Amino acid sequence: MKPLSIVAGLAVFCSIAVAQVTFQNSSQTILRVDNGSYAPNGPVEEVHYYYTQWPIGLAAASDGRIFVCYTRGTDAYTLGVTVNTTAEVAYPSQALNLPVSELNTTFNGIQFGSANAAAFISVQALYITTATASRPETLWVLDTGRPTIMDAQGAPTMPYAQPGGPKLVAINIANNSIYQTYTFPSSVHYPDSYMNDLRFDLRNESEVPFSTGKGVAYINDSSNEGRNGFIIIDLGTGDSWRRLTQDPSVLRTPNNVPSYQGFPFYLKQIGQPIQWQPEGLDGIQLSQDGKTMYYSPLTSDYMYSVPTYNLLLRPQDPLAEIAAHNNVSNLGQRGGQANGFEGDSNGLVYMSMPEQNSINIYNPSTLQAELYVRDPRIIWADSMSIASDGYIYYNINQLPYQAQWNNGTELRTFPGAVLRSKLPGNGTKATALYVV
């Protein structure tokens, strides 16, 4: 027979062990637990799996196709389309995706991206506008012209942009052909600019102030090393200009430490000291009436807005920039940091929340943020696209685990995914700004 003290000790140890097991198995506890899930409008559905390239942007078309983009390094193509649940192919063709060997060049020892305006270099974002009487259903392709390359030590570097490389391209998805390309002067797109996302107002000149009747595009410059702000293009003339450059509302929060899946995040790159995420202006979304632009930096808990009237004022107005800065509104905190935005036919603004594995909604009617969907599978929803079927589609790419942010060690595990969720209130794709 064992001494009583030993028996008592074993009993205490066993009770602790049982308690630990019970703690880890939430189904056996009487305590309230966080199961990491919230989906009141229906289950989160898995639509597509990525096995060869990690995605950035996506756009869901009315015919069911999902277009996808990948920022370059060494990927075989930067713009693609899904062909089944586990594969994608280059789009519109492999020939229109510039070969890796032609992505960059060197002048006097300084790396520059390609100046090729006729082929895709490194596509960051996609957007689809519905067909109108004067324009086909269009896939808009935002090419940064700045591929990521690795130096001799394996550290990622991004060449400067050359005029011609950064571009906005319009593709008629009915016949898979390019019908318009817009490039930028160096006074609008700087060598160290980085275009991140885009939105459109295609109404005529009576409804879009100062436009020439073919609509406008709004693009955000989220450059890590450059000057954050908005780039606006008149789609009729091709003229472009900047607004809110370096306004405090578009800049990153300094020394910010978010947490992803519970782990505090610091940026760790080969050959560089440990630092913080440097990205500024990220999510953008137009209001239903086209009069307000909602936006925020990646590393900020705050959401902002500005009247589009102030973004559309032409550079010829000497007070245009001052007026834009003066009319920025701080809409308050929205429950954490957010990256990509999207909007539905009910006027709701959807915000990807990477710290919470969720998507939140900003409701302009209540002036509050609301939880829309949360799921352990949502490890960095990098881009969202609302389709005419009443679902929001979003890429999952595990971005905080990429090698470029982790001293060259790739911590992501395939597959990446496209998930989708049903919209609340019979919401669908917002099309009011595409009617001419």
Side-chain angles (χ1 to χ4, degrees):
M1 182 176 179
K2 295 181 176 66
L4 183 60
S5 60
I6 296 177
V7 173
L10 286 172
V12 170
F13 174 80
C14 289
S15 68
I16 293 173
V18 170
Q20 289 174 334
V21 171
T22 302
F23 174 77
Q24 294 179 35
N25 184 352
S26 62
S27 65
Q28 297 179 16
T29 184
I30 61 173
L31 301 179
R32 179 173 180 168
V33 298
D34 176 5
N35 66 10
S37 298
Y38 179 81
N41 301 290
V44 174
E45 301 176 17
E46 298 177 5
V47 177
H48 181 78
Y49 304 99
Y50 298 99
Y51 282 98
T52 57
Q53 298 184 171
W54 288 104
I56 289 290
L58 87 166
S62 62
D63 62 8
R65 283 183 293 176
I66 299 176
F67 298 95
V68 189
C69 62
Y70 323 77
T71 50
R72 301 289 281 286
T74 58
D75 289 339
Y77 53 90
T78 187
L79 177 60
V81 62
T82 60
V83 291
N84 56 48
T85 57
T86 60
E88 315 92 54
V89 296
Y91 183 83
S93 66
Q94 185 66 60
L96 285 173
N97 285 261
L98 204 62
V100 172
S101 61
E102 299 178 21
L103 294 181
N104 61 284
T105 187
T106 302
F107 295 111
N108 296 322
I110 300 174
Q111 294 280 352
F112 288 86
S114 171
N116 192 326
F120 297 115
I121 300 166
S122 183
V123 176
Q124 168 69 26
L126 307 173
Y127 205 80
I128 283 182
T129 55
T130 51
T132 69
S134 59
R135 191 187 298 273
E137 183 173 9
T138 298
L139 174 67
W140 297 90
V141 182
L142 191 62
D143 189 344
T144 68
R146 300 187 67 191
T148 297
I149 61 174
M150 301 298 174
D151 66 16
Q153 288 71 45
T157 62
M158 186 171 286
Y160 291 118
Q162 294 189 75
K167 53 190 172 286
L168 174 63
V169 179
I171 299 178
N172 180 344
I173 65 170
N175 59 19
N176 305 314
S177 65
I178 294 173
Y179 70 86
Q180 189 76 52
T181 298
Y182 301 89
T183 59
F184 307 88
S186 58
S187 59
V188 172
H189 187 288
Y190 307 131
D192 56 1
S193 287
Y194 191 90
M195 299 184 296
N196 184 289
D197 211 346
L198 66 168
R199 293 295 183 270
F200 295 88
D201 189 339
L202 303 181
R203 297 173 298 166
N204 61 40
E205 62 269 28
S206 66
E207 297 176 284
V208 183
F210 316 111
S211 73
T212 56
K214 298 294 185 180
V216 295
Y218 301 90
I219 298 170
N220 58 338
D221 183 346
S222 66
S223 175
N224 288 355
E225 71 272 42
R227 289 157 280 187
N228 301 144
F230 283 93
I231 295 172
I232 300 91
I233 308 174
D234 185 308
L235 298 175
T237 63
D239 294 340
S240 58
W241 59 95
R242 296 183 67 95
R243 282 288 168 268
L244 289 182
T245 297
Q246 297 296 76
D247 185 84
S249 66
V250 304
L251 301 179
R252 65 180 181 267
T253 301
N255 306 344
N256 181 267
V257 182
S259 290
Y260 304 128
Q261 291 72 62
F263 295 95
F265 175 81
Y266 295 87
L267 187 64
K268 301 173 182 177
Q269 296 183 314
I270 294 174
Q272 299 292 326
I274 295 173
Q275 50 192 299
W276 303 272
Q277 174 60 256
E279 185 174 322
L281 178 59
D282 196 320
I284 61 172
Q285 181 59 39
L286 284 169
S287 62
Q288 276 285 82
D289 59 7
K291 294 181 179 180
T292 302
M293 175 65 75
Y294 299 104
Y295 65 94
S296 73
L298 173 62
T299 56
S300 173
D301 289 343
Y302 289 87
M303 188 169 180
Y304 300 90
S305 69
V306 66
T308 52
Y309 180 94
N310 294 113
L311 299 179
L312 294 170
L313 273 174
R314 296 304 182 98
Q316 289 77 12
D317 186 327
L319 298 179
E321 187 68 7
I322 291 176
H325 287 265
N326 287 350
N327 282 294
V328 168
S329 295
N330 185 331
L331 303 180
Q333 295 186 339
R334 39 53 192 304
Q337 299 179 12
N339 55 324
F341 285 11
E342 176 61 304
D344 72 4
S345 58
N346 291 321
L348 301 176
V349 179
Y350 295 79
M351 305 173 290
S352 170
M353 312 294 289
E355 289 185 283
Q356 287 83 22
N357 296 351
S358 71
I359 298 172
N360 282 6
I361 288 171
Y362 175 75
N363 189 331
S365 297
T366 66
L367 307 180
Q368 296 174 66
E370 308 162 3
L371 178 61
Y372 163 58
V373 65
R374 183 169 177 246
D375 192 285
R377 292 169 291 180
I378 304 178
I379 302 179
W380 201 285
D382 207 318
S383 181
M384 300 181 288
S385 177
I386 289 176
S388 56
D389 60 7
Y391 283 85
I392 185 169
Y393 293 76
Y394 41 102
N395 269 336
I396 304 301
N397 66 7
Q398 306 172 37
L399 201 67
Y401 301 96
Q402 65 173 316
Q404 292 180 32
W405 290 1
N406 292 280
N407 276 329
T409 301
E410 181 59 68
L411 301 175
R412 294 182 288 190
T413 58
F414 282 116
V418 176
L419 306 181
R420 75 172 189 173
S421 298
K422 188 68 175 176
L423 298 177
N426 296 315
T428 187
K429 186 176 182 68
T431 61
L433 301 183
Y434 310 148
V435 178
V436 178

